[in-house]
Amino acid sequence: MWGCGALLGARTRSRLWREVLVAWGRRWSAAAPYSASAEPSRVRALVYGHHGDPAKVVELKDLELAAVGGSDVHVRMLAAPINPSDINMIQGNYGLLPKLPAVGGNEGVGQVVAVGSSVTGVKPGDWVIPANAGLGTWRTEAVFSEEALIGVPSDIPLQSAATLSVNPCTAYRMLMDFEQLQPGDSVIQNASNSGVGQAVIQIAAALGLRTVNVVRDRPDIQKLTDRLKSLGAEHVLTEEELRKHEMKNFFKDMPQPRLALNCVGGKSSTELLRHLAPGGTMVTYGGMAKQPVIASVSQLIFKDLKLRGFWLSQWKKDHSPEPEPVHDSSSSGGLAAQKVTPRAETEESHGVAPMKGRRVVASVAYFRPEK
Ligand SMILES: NC(=O)c1ccc[n+]([C@@H]2O[C@H](COP(=O)([O-])OP(=O)(O)OC[C@H]3O[C@@H](n4cnc5c(N)ncnc54)[C@H](OP(=O)(O)O)[C@@H]3O)[C@@H](O)[C@H]2O)c1
C-alpha cells in the first residue's frame, strides 16, 4: 500500500492541501522520551456527544491525556483530513459508529512521542497512521494502543501520509479485486476529481490502464482537465458529454471499459453502465448524488453487466486476523475507549458526503495545538 502514498504526491500539490486539517504541533526535531508525570497533560480535541449536523454537534474541548500503558503509544497528531465518511459518522449515517462521546476524524498522521515498555513496532519520532476507521484523529495528542497504528515512512509529504489510509487503498482494491485487468484495458469512473478518483487515475496509469474520467461541468473545466491529465488521466469528460450521441464513436479508438467505478449514483451511474463492455462490472463505492443506482433492464439482460459494491472497512475486516478492533486503549481524557461498531441499519450509509457539511466542519475544526 505504500505505493499508493507516493502516488498521491501530485494531489497534495493541489486541492488536497486545502482539505487537510493541519493539526500542526511543534514539528518535533526529536520526540520527547516518555516520563510519568504527576499531572495529566491537557490536549485539545474535536468532540461530539451526539449525532447531528457537524456544525452544531462538534465542539473543541480540552481533554486529559491518559497515562501510557505498556502496550500504548503516545502520539502527537501532525495533520488530519476531513473525509466525507467523517461527516457521515458524525451525522450517524455511516456503517460504523463510535461509542459517544467520540473524537471526530478517521484519518491522519501523527508522530510518536513516547511508547510503553512492551511496544516494539514503533519508536519515538516515527510517523504513524490509523490502522482502522474510528480512531478519532481530530485531536492534538492521544494515547493509542500499538495495534491501532501503522508505522509509515516520515520522508513522504505530510499530506500524503495523512490521507494514505482510505482513498488510495480504496482505489487500489477496486482496480485489483473486481476484474482481471491487463495493461491497455480501460476503466471508466465518475467524480474523477474526488480523492478516490484522483488516486484511481494515478494507480491506473502506473498499472498501464487507460482511464475515462467523468466530472461535473464547471467554469474552469479546462483547468481541471489539465490537472487530471497531469496525474495520468487519458480522457476527461463532463457528465453532459458522456450523455451525447457522439459518445458511441468514442470507444472505437480504445477498448470499452470492463470496469466502472461509481462514486455518484443516479443518472451518472446509468451512463457509466451504458458504456461498460459486455460482462463488465460497475463497482459502487459512494453515493454523492444521494440517488439510487438505476440500471437499464436491457443493459443487464443483453450485456450481462455485474453490479457490485465496495467498502474498505469491510475489506479490512475480512482481511484482518483481529475480530473487532478497539482503537483507543486509554480513556483519553474522559472519553470512553473509542470503539466503532457496525451500524444496525446500513442503508445509504457511507456514500453520502455533503460538501456543505465538510466546509462547515473545516472552519469549526481548524485548530492549532500550541498551548
Ligand atoms: N466505499 C469505500 O470504502 C469508500 C472509501 C473512500 C471514500 N468513499 C466515498 O467516496 C466518496 C468520495 O470520497 P472522497 O474522499 O474521494 O471525496 P471528495 O474528495 O470530497 O470528492 C467528492 C466528489 O464528489 C463529487 N460530488 C459531490 N456532490 C456531488 C453530487 N451531488 N453529484 C455528483 N458528484 C458530486 C465532487 O464533485 P465536484 O467537484 O463536482 O463537487 C467530487 O468529485 C464519498 O462518498 C466517500 O464516502 C467510499
Side-chain angles (χ1 to χ4, degrees):
M1 289 197 178
W2 266 105
C4 302
L7 289 166
L8 272 187
R11 181 189 176 203
T12 62
R13 285 193 295 275
S14 52
R15 190 169 75 115
L16 176 66
W17 178 232
R18 285 181 282 120
E19 294 172 1
V20 173
L21 246 186
V22 182
W24 291 105
R26 284 164 283 151
R27 293 296 299 277
W28 289 43
S29 50
Y34 170 64
S35 65
S37 142
E39 287 296 313
S41 311
R42 309 292 296 179
V43 299
R44 278 186 284 173
L46 289 160
V47 179
Y48 56 106
H50 53 273
H51 295 295
D53 178 354
K56 296 193 177 125
V57 300
V58 176
E59 292 176 274
L60 181 60
K61 288 198 167 173
D62 282 342
L63 303 176
E64 272 178 22
L65 186 67
V68 181
S71 59
D72 291 340
V73 180
H74 175 188
V75 175
R76 175 181 289 269
M77 293 306 299
L78 300 175
I82 303 172
N83 279 325
S85 55
D86 301 325
I87 305 297
N88 299 151
M89 219 178 229
I90 294 167
Q91 291 167 328
N93 293 329
Y94 196 69
L96 291 173
L97 295 177
K99 192 173 171 214
L100 300 181
V103 177
N106 291 297
E107 256 197 319
V109 61
Q111 187 169 39
V112 175
V113 175
V115 298
S117 54
S118 59
V119 171
T120 53
V122 292
K123 60 182 186 316
D126 285 356
W127 280 14
V128 287
I129 63 171
N132 287 297
L135 195 65
T137 52
W138 296 348
R139 51 177 127 195
T140 53
E141 293 175 50
V143 174
F144 300 118
S145 61
E146 184 186 7
E147 70 263 27
L149 302 167
I150 298 173
V152 296
S154 57
D155 59 355
I156 60 170
L158 185 75
Q159 298 90 342
S160 296
T163 55
L164 181 64
S165 60
V166 178
N167 290 342
C169 301
T170 300
Y172 181 77
R173 292 267 50 108
M174 292 194 300
L175 288 169
M176 300 308 286
D177 294 351
F178 293 90
E179 288 285 339
Q180 298 292 315
L181 299 173
Q182 304 297 328
D185 284 345
S186 65
V187 175
I188 190 167
Q189 63 165 344
N190 55 21
S192 308
N193 60 324
S194 67
V196 176
Q198 292 185 57
V200 165
I201 289 171
Q202 292 169 85
I203 297 168
L207 294 171
L209 301 172
R210 307 173 67 176
T211 53
V212 179
N213 300 282
V214 184
V215 294
R216 291 199 289 184
D217 202 4
R218 65 202 67 219
D220 58 349
I221 186 69
Q222 191 56 47
K223 201 169 150 199
L224 176 61
T225 301
D226 293 345
R227 186 158 61 80
L228 297 184
K229 286 194 171 177
S230 76
L231 297 181
E234 181 165 339
H235 297 283
V236 179
L237 302 170
T238 63
E239 295 276 358
E240 291 74 22
E241 285 170 331
L242 193 67
R243 281 184 214 131
K244 283 189 177 158
H245 186 64
E246 300 82 71
M247 275 302 293
K248 74 177 183 353
N249 297 323
F250 189 84
F251 291 106
K252 283 190 175 149
D253 297 330
M254 72 187 294
Q256 263 193 300
R258 289 178 32 218
L259 181 68
L261 303 177
N262 171 36
C263 174
V264 176
K267 280 185 192 161
S268 178
S269 52
T270 310
E271 287 302 312
L272 293 189
L273 285 172
R274 203 157 67 82
H275 295 291
L276 260 188
T281 302
M282 182 170 81
V283 181
T284 294
Y285 67 95
M288 298 300 295
K290 299 185 193 168
Q291 284 167 4
V293 169
I294 301 166
S296 104
V297 169
S298 62
Q299 301 283 343
L300 291 176
I301 295 175
F302 300 124
K303 284 171 71 181
D304 188 19
L305 301 179
K306 299 186 279 293
L307 302 182
R308 301 285 306 274
F310 178 79
W311 186 25
L312 184 66
S313 295
Q314 189 62 46
W315 187 94
K316 284 186 176 176
K317 207 171 171 187
D318 293 344
H319 294 80
S320 163
E322 301 295 328
E324 185 72 26
V326 177
H327 298 300
D328 185 346
S329 71
S330 68
S331 63
S332 211
L335 284 179
Q338 196 149 320
K339 177 176 178 176
V340 286
T341 48
R343 185 172 172 243
E345 64 285 5
T346 54
E347 79 289 351
E348 295 182 43
S349 58
H350 57 274
V352 197
M355 299 302 289
K356 190 166 139 239
R358 165 182 286 216
R359 287 198 198 94
V360 171
V361 170
S363 64
V364 171
Y366 189 81
F367 62 103
R368 297 174 198 284
E370 285 92 347
K371 300 202 168 76

